[in-house]
């Protein structure tokens, strides 16, 4: 790969197939890299990504970027979610949802998560091979988040489709047809959630949507648009990411049989194992910020309104921070990876995602002692949310 001659493009097909050698070159030769065609900066060093996520001269509001593509007019301005706003709005929105996602609250979901996982595993056990994504990695987080929110899990086929199209909008460049599909899917998902919210207003239940409606009505803490945006964010974030932790994580174990064996022998390793799988095969590859003013970062001058991408996956392999970074070591500790981001936008759902993986992976390995890869895995088309469309396994 001769990248010295060409601009680094972490999204060209060769780099996508195996981005890590590419990230290493970027980190060594041009760690704060300006990519002309994409019109964005790319950061590959752990320290620079940390700085990006800590410095409030960068905004999380992508709509401020000079490269932002606005949805066509006439669709009604959706509210903004916490993911793309700065304080004080961020603080207000995050506080509203955060009570439901504390480690203590999430721990209470353990029996339910175990029951769902066990049910899926027993269904798998009726056959001898399966697509692990469709039969296990996807349904588990979807059922969990749908139940938490109070969205009927039986509507899954519907919102799964919208959700998977919506997240293509997180990629750095999409063609016009995809961009239109993203806007359409977002509108359909929003309309669907508005119907669910209206129903919960009439028939309150013990779920998160009901709680947020109550909060809205008690103090007008959040606008109608923000309420929908919040539900949409939780629904999408709740099922487009953890599926990849379970899917990428299982594949990582197949590709590193010594570590798979190690986990089978020592199931108590599961906590550090999940962190290491998050570091080594993260579900989210980068996150973006927008410079609010002219500033210096890693020796380069960044202009106002330019987009800066923190490459989480690259930072996770920075040898300055991780010894022997390309090695999967399920006992690695400490493990300051960026799979969940850092700073005020640190993943709200991290305790939930961790618990789901800590339940799912050991259950799978225990029930199927000879679980193995049974064909070529297929990747999903998204390049930011990286995961598998299919993971054929036999057992
Ligand atoms: C392995 C699974 C997951 C990964 C890798 C992941 C990754 C991330 C990352 C990297 C961010 C920070 C984005 C940024 O700084 O711009 C984030 C934020 C967020 N995540 Fe997750 N996530 C996962 C699961 C979940 C789940 C299960 C939920 C909810 C049910 C969730 C809800 C959120 C929310 C609401 C935010 C925004 C937080 C804020 O802006 O303050 N995530 N996630």
């Amino acid at each position: 790969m001769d990248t010295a001659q060409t601009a680094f493009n972490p999204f060209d097909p060769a780099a996508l197939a195996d981005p890590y050698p590419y990230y290493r070159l970027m980190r060594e030769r041009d760690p704060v890299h300006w990519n002309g065609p994409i019109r964005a900066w790319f950061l590959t060093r752990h320290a620079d990504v940390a700085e990006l996520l800590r410095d409030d001269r960068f905004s999380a509001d992508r709509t401020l970027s000079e490269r932002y593509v606005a949805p066509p007019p006439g669709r009604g301005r959706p509210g903004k979610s916490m993911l793309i706003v700065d304080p004080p709005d961020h603080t207000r929105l995050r506080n509203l949802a955060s009570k439901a996602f504390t480690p203590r609250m999430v721990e209470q979901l353990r029996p339910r998560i175990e029951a769902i996982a066990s049910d899926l595993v027993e269904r798998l056990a009726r056959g001898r091979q399966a697509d692990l994504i469709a039969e296990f990695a996807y349904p588990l987080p979807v059922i969990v988040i749908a139940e938490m929110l109070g969205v009927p899990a039986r509507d899954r086929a519907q919102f799964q489709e919208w959700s998977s199209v919506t997240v293509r909008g997180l990629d750095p460049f999409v063609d016009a047809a995809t961009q239109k599909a993203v806007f359409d899917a977002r509108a359909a998902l929003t309309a669907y959630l508005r119907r669910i919210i209206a129903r919960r207003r009439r028939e309150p239940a013990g779920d998160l949507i009901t709680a947020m409606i109550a909060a809205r009505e008690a103090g007008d803490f959040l606008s109608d648009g923000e309420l929908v945006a919040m539900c949409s964010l939780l629904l999408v974030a709740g099922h487009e990411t953890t599926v990849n932790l379970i899917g990428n994580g299982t594949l990582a174990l197949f590709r590193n049989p010594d570590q798979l064996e190690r986990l089978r022998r020592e199931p108590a390793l599961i906590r550090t194992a999940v962190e290491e799988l998050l570091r080594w095969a993260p579900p989210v590859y980068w996150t973006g910020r927008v410079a609010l003013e002219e500033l210096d970062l890693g020796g380069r001058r960044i202009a106002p309104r330019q987009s800066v991408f923190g490459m989480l996956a690259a930072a996770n392999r920075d040898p300055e921070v991780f010894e022997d970074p390309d090695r999967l070591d399920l006992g690695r500790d400490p493990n300051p990876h960026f799979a969940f981001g850092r700073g005020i936008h640190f993943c709200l759902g991290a305790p939930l995602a961790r618990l789901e993986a800590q339940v799912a992976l050991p259950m799978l390995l225990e029930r199927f002692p000879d679980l193995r890869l049974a064909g070529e895995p297929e990747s999903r088309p998204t390049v930011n949310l990286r995961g598998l469309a299919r993971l054929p396994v036999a057992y």
Side-chain angles (χ1 to χ4, degrees):
M1 180 173 36
D2 181 16
T3 47
Q5 311 295 321
T6 52
F8 287 111
N9 175 6
F11 306 108
D12 84 27
L16 280 176
D18 181 8
Y20 291 105
Y22 217 84
Y23 292 160
R24 193 178 59 235
L25 281 175
M26 287 178 79
R27 202 165 40 233
E28 286 166 2
R29 297 187 193 171
D30 194 12
V32 180
H33 169 70
W34 171 254
N35 189 296
I38 296 177
R39 296 210 319 282
W41 295 92
F42 290 98
L43 312 182
T44 41
R45 280 193 305 223
H46 194 278
D48 293 334
V49 175
E51 177 101 23
L52 174 75
L53 299 180
R54 184 171 53 215
D55 187 335
D56 63 10
R57 291 174 301 164
F58 289 108
S59 170
D61 186 349
R62 282 72 163 163
T63 67
L64 299 177
S65 168
E66 48 89 20
R67 66 193 291 287
Y68 173 68
V69 180
R75 288 178 185 257
R77 282 250 141 218
K80 286 181 179 171
S81 79
M82 72 179 96
L83 186 63
I84 58 161
V85 295
D86 301 321
D89 286 337
H90 175 263
T91 321
R92 173 176 55 87
L93 293 171
R94 179 146 176 147
N95 281 346
L96 260 170
S98 62
K99 291 181 201 77
F101 289 93
T102 61
R104 222 183 94 240
M105 286 299 283
V106 166
E107 187 56 35
Q108 290 175 12
L109 297 173
R110 184 185 285 273
R112 183 64 192 132
I113 294 172
E114 284 171 350
I116 299 166
S118 150
D119 187 47
L120 294 168
V121 161
E122 288 317 313
R123 263 185 237 198
L124 282 175
R126 289 183 210 145
R128 304 184 61 179
Q129 49 188 38
D131 168 14
L132 197 73
I133 302 300
E135 307 292 332
F136 187 72
Y138 211 105
L140 174 64
V142 176
I143 296 171
V144 171
I145 192 64
E147 286 187 1
M148 273 184 91
L149 279 170
V151 170
R154 63 169 180 278
D155 295 347
R156 207 166 86 200
Q158 236 183 5
F159 57 72
Q160 199 162 299
E161 172 66 22
W162 296 325
S163 171
S164 66
V165 177
T166 302
V167 295
R168 299 200 66 173
L170 296 171
D171 285 350
F173 44 79
V174 286
D175 56 43
T178 308
Q179 185 67 72
K180 179 174 182 314
V182 168
F183 289 141
D184 288 346
R186 229 184 260 164
L189 183 60
T190 303
Y192 169 79
L193 286 169
R194 283 191 192 283
R195 288 197 296 278
I196 300 279
I197 291 167
R199 194 187 311 159
R200 280 288 168 276
R201 269 213 173 90
R202 291 193 308 271
E203 304 160 20
D207 53 45
L208 208 50
I209 291 185
T210 305
M212 288 190 291
I213 294 171
R216 160 150 171 70
E217 283 165 6
D220 207 16
F221 296 127
L222 83 168
S223 72
D224 239 357
E226 285 172 339
L227 175 59
V228 177
M230 173 94 84
C231 295
S232 176
L233 171 65
L234 292 174
L235 187 61
V236 173
H239 79 279
E240 296 295 340
T241 49
T242 313
V243 51
N244 296 340
L245 169 55
I246 298 171
N248 298 352
T250 309
L251 182 60
L253 293 173
F254 289 149
R255 301 263 194 244
N256 295 269
D258 61 317
Q259 295 299 305
L260 175 58
E261 227 10 77
R262 188 176 171 200
L263 186 57
R264 284 192 187 283
R265 269 198 326 269
E266 262 184 276
L269 269 184
I270 189 63
R271 278 174 195 275
T272 53
V274 166
E275 298 311 305
E276 178 68 346
L277 294 170
L278 281 161
R279 181 188 74 85
W280 201 79
V284 181
Y285 263 47
W286 79 85
T287 187
R289 295 290 185 269
V290 183
L292 291 173
E293 55 189 75
E294 185 170 279
L295 50 87
D296 286 320
L297 187 92
R300 304 289 300 263
R301 179 126 285 219
I302 297 180
R305 298 188 57 235
Q306 282 182 336
S307 282
V308 185
F309 291 138
M311 306 300 286
L312 308 173
N316 283 356
R317 302 276 185 112
D318 188 339
E320 289 284 319
V321 176
F322 302 100
E323 199 186 313
D324 203 354
D326 292 324
R327 190 163 60 90
L328 181 75
D329 169 7
L330 297 187
R332 194 184 287 274
D333 188 23
N335 193 340
H337 65 74
F338 282 151
F340 291 122
R342 180 171 281 196
I344 62 169
H345 291 278
F346 181 84
C347 178
L348 181 75
L352 178 61
R354 285 179 164 133
L355 179 60
E356 287 176 349
Q358 287 165 8
V359 166
L361 292 173
M363 201 181 276
L364 203 58
L365 298 184
E366 193 179 318
R367 187 71 175 80
F368 305 114
D370 62 342
L371 185 75
R372 59 198 183 274
L373 193 58
E376 248 333 278
E378 275 169 36
S379 297
R380 296 182 62 173
T382 41
V383 300
N384 184 2
L385 297 200
R386 294 254 304 196
L388 301 170
R390 258 174 57 77
L391 179 59
V393 294
Y395 40 86

